[in-house]
Amino acid sequence: MKLGLEDSLLDRELGRPSLNGSKVVRGLYGHKTCIEDLDIVNQLEGHSGCVNALSWSKTGRLLASGSDDQYLNIHSYQPEHSTSPFALSTSISTGHTANIFSVKFMPYSNDARLVTAAGDGEVRIFDVEYSGRSAISGHGRASTYQGVRYLSSGDIQPKVYRSHSDRVKRIVTESSPYLFLTCSEDGEVRQWDLRQPSSAYPAPARRRGLRAQRAGAPEDTSNVPPPLISYKRFNLDLNTISCSPSQPHYIALGGAHLHCFLHDRRMLGRDISAERGVSPGSDLSSDRQNELMGQATRCVRKFAPNGKGRMKRRDGGHITACKISDARPNEMVVSWSGDWIYNFDLVRSPDADEAVKEEGLQGKAKGKGKNKMAEPRDRKRKREKRPSATSLRSNRGGSKPRQDGDGAEDDGGLALRVRYENGQSEDISIQPSEDESVSADTVESAREVAMSEPQRRSLSVAHNFADMRRAIFGLDASEGTPSTEDPTGHAASFTRALEHAKNALEKMDDIRRRWRYPVNPLEEDVIFQRTLRRNRDLARRFVQTAGCVARLLSGSDSEGEPELFSVVRAASNEGGSIPRGSKFVYAFITAILAWVEGGPERLLETFKALSRRRNDDVNLGIPEDAGPEAIEGRIMSVLLALAGSRSVPNLEASRFERDELQVTFESERAAVTAFGAAIKIPLTTSVGEAGADRATAIRFWVLKVARGLLMNVGEGINFSFVDRAFGGLGAGS
């Protein structure tokens, strides 16, 4: 007789034996009666991509969300001004260049400080009180529309910690307003201190990321602080981390491995084998290598389903999430991909290493006589010498080995591990064939065939955009030498950039003219379309400004393309979605280009013309009969008012230079002040004339300063951003 939900619960609590054993207990959690009672309470809006992270504040008044669209949204629960259970109160453009995987409120911060971790390897800290108000109050300098406050990274000036060398997957906070932990696919656990500046946690000199692996470049992390725990030497991705506030010394980790690792901070120590330069080997499925890994990382316990010491490939051998209970700090739940969710007792549950030892003892007990008892150990040594499917996969294309036990003995076929952007992965069997070579052109052609016409147009725009960025920022030092006709020595690169900018801008304007909005849209459709339009405006303005810079540096005549790149300007149908920090950059670059081309007279005439345009970013209101005194009295004063504290990077400096040489100016205000002094000196093109050399001014103010400003304003505007904004799929290139 089939038991109902109530009878099954009673049997479980009383410990009564049942006919179906553990199946009845497992069936309780997915019982039809429980599922039918579930309902959608609310649908939160505001994101244009997959939502990967949620975090409640300690007060329970705010819910933060992070998404593939690289935005951090803050929702108010039971807001005073609305009858809806939730209301979107703040939307932050984080400045991340890849998907956000984790979001956390920092404790003891009055719900005003948040931390995000993303696929670009960066950890960013946002203080919404620093931006002019808290996330709850209704005051501030940022733009507000329909009760939602929109902030950019320029408004908040977040701290950026870059010491991870691969995608950062999870954040865990501690009982401190300053300290928190992160884990990453580089195999490291790092502890961060918010009292430290961004410079205390620099990016590795050479990252471990996918591009570096393909290029075969070794990783160099000598310039970053050491991690708290590291599995990097064992090529082990970490996906999840957890610790309990009441027992903060315990840290649980899970990733691309069979076991969930438990660490004790009180027992962390040195990795002697690494200091001796001993290689960990490639086959981590062997007992000896697992033992070495435990010794190196100071892992105190390992947990696996049913205490397994080894797991077959089809058992699902990587961990997607683990969580130590806050209420019961000795209990932990772990979820395996393709398997169940298991509950462990940190003290009483069997250690996976002990299970392996018991298997070895049982194997010995089966033998007869002294010689027989040694056979299992001999067989293990022979098995270690034989290459497994795992070790073979580790030599294919730089892919990471998978630690899933003796997979080679279970099925000898090859499998491709596909890692999706949401952090999940899947093994896809590969059937052997005689011809395994597939060209990149074939893959690209097959990809475009499956696209719609608007998606193909958007992909073409994104390719032009990426080529333009590469030509402007990726200069070859050996390309040429400066001359009278080519003051920078890179005219060829900037000519290519100008051509790509022209192609991209024409295609962007064509897509904007063709764009059609849905009839009778839902509210979420309106938010989504508004976000896409804002992103199109940001991308177009960046391309138009980059084209103006490339035109001057390439030596092209400004009269050749008067409507495209003669001066930095907004499009005729552009909305007012350009952030304040970006408005400053575009206005400052406009001033630099005008002065270099025609001196103070050209500078004044340029801003007079821009003041006549209604949709210009910075309407200076300069009258037609204004004289040279308007330059200092109006133009420079407005630029100083808009300038912020962000530094202007020196793109020509080596990453190994000292910190002070990595920037051209310490702040935007310092750059404007120096420019105000420079424009007082007349420009000259002849040797012997009194004044500043125009070629020198181009090399400094355009090649160095304007490109550094462009790099700042273009942060986050990449291939995927442009592809999505103009109707594409947002796939990386």
Side-chain angles (χ1 to χ4, degrees), residues 144-426:
T144 303
Y145 182 77
Q146 294 183 348
V148 182
R149 189 168 60 124
Y150 293 94
L151 298 173
S152 68
S153 57
D155 297 324
I156 300 182
Q157 297 291 327
K159 288 185 179 180
V160 184
Y161 297 158
R162 299 184 171 92
S163 294
H164 277 300
S165 58
D166 210 329
R167 304 196 302 179
V168 188
K169 300 304 290 288
R170 292 294 179 269
I171 304 167
V172 62
T173 57
E174 305 188 60
S175 297
S176 166
Y178 306 112
L179 304 176
F180 65 95
L181 304 173
T182 59
C183 71
S184 166
E185 290 180 352
D186 61 8
E188 292 182 343
V189 175
R190 290 189 172 273
Q191 184 179 51
W192 314 88
D193 190 340
L194 297 184
R195 293 166 292 192
Q196 298 295 326
S198 299
S199 58
Y201 302 107
R206 282 192 297 271
R207 288 179 176 264
R208 176 194 179 189
L210 185 59
R211 292 183 180 178
Q213 288 181 359
R214 289 175 176 173
E219 185 183 9
D220 182 4
T221 58
S222 58
N223 63 321
V224 302
L228 186 66
I229 303 169
S230 178
Y231 286 87
K232 179 177 290 187
R233 294 178 58 239
F234 301 92
N235 263 356
L236 198 156
D237 296 359
L238 294 179
N239 300 328
T240 180
I241 180 174
S242 179
C243 64
S244 172
S246 58
Q247 291 191 138
H249 48 277
Y250 284 147
I251 301 175
L253 299 173
H257 194 276
L258 156 66
H259 297 138
C260 180
F261 304 104
L262 182 67
H263 291 262
D264 191 329
R265 296 191 210 215
R266 300 167 297 183
M267 300 179 65
L268 296 179
R270 299 163 55 191
D271 185 354
I272 303 300
S273 61
E275 296 177 4
R276 293 175 177 175
V278 178
S279 173
S282 59
D283 183 11
L284 298 183
S285 63
S286 67
D287 297 337
R288 176 57 181 164
Q289 293 298 335
N290 275 325
E291 181 181 354
L292 289 176
M293 183 168 62
Q295 294 174 357
T297 60
R298 296 298 189 269
C299 175
V300 296
R301 289 181 72 85
K302 300 176 184 177
F303 301 96
N306 302 318
K308 290 183 180 179
R310 305 178 183 88
M311 185 174 285
K312 303 175 183 178
R313 179 189 302 167
R314 61 176 60 92
D315 289 336
H318 79 277
I319 296 171
T320 58
C322 69
K323 181 68 172 73
I324 300 177
S325 173
D326 293 339
R328 299 179 179 179
N330 280 342
E331 292 189 7
M332 175 178 65
V333 291
V334 185
S335 173
W336 272 267
S337 176
D339 204 333
W340 301 97
I341 299 175
Y342 292 85
N343 183 29
F344 297 97
D345 188 297
L346 301 184
V347 178
R348 300 175 182 175
S349 294
D351 191 333
D353 282 347
E354 295 175 359
V356 173
K357 295 177 182 178
E358 290 178 1
E359 291 177 4
L361 293 175
Q362 292 174 1
K364 291 180 181 180
K366 292 180 181 179
K368 294 182 180 180
K370 296 182 180 180
N371 295 332
K372 292 288 185 179
M373 293 181 67
E375 289 181 2
R377 181 171 297 181
D378 294 340
R379 285 198 294 269
K380 285 188 177 180
R381 285 199 295 268
K382 293 178 181 178
R383 185 182 302 136
E384 290 178 12
K385 296 177 182 179
R386 184 175 64 246
S388 65
T390 301
S391 61
L392 290 175
R393 286 198 303 274
S394 65
N395 296 325
R396 293 178 59 87
S399 61
K400 302 173 184 176
R402 183 180 181 199
Q403 295 79 16
D404 55 359
D406 301 327
E409 295 182 1
D410 299 308
D411 48 7
L414 293 176
L416 174 67
R417 167 162 286 188
V418 179
R419 186 165 61 187
Y420 303 106
E421 293 215 359
N422 62 359
Q424 304 299 318
S425 60
E426 178 184 2

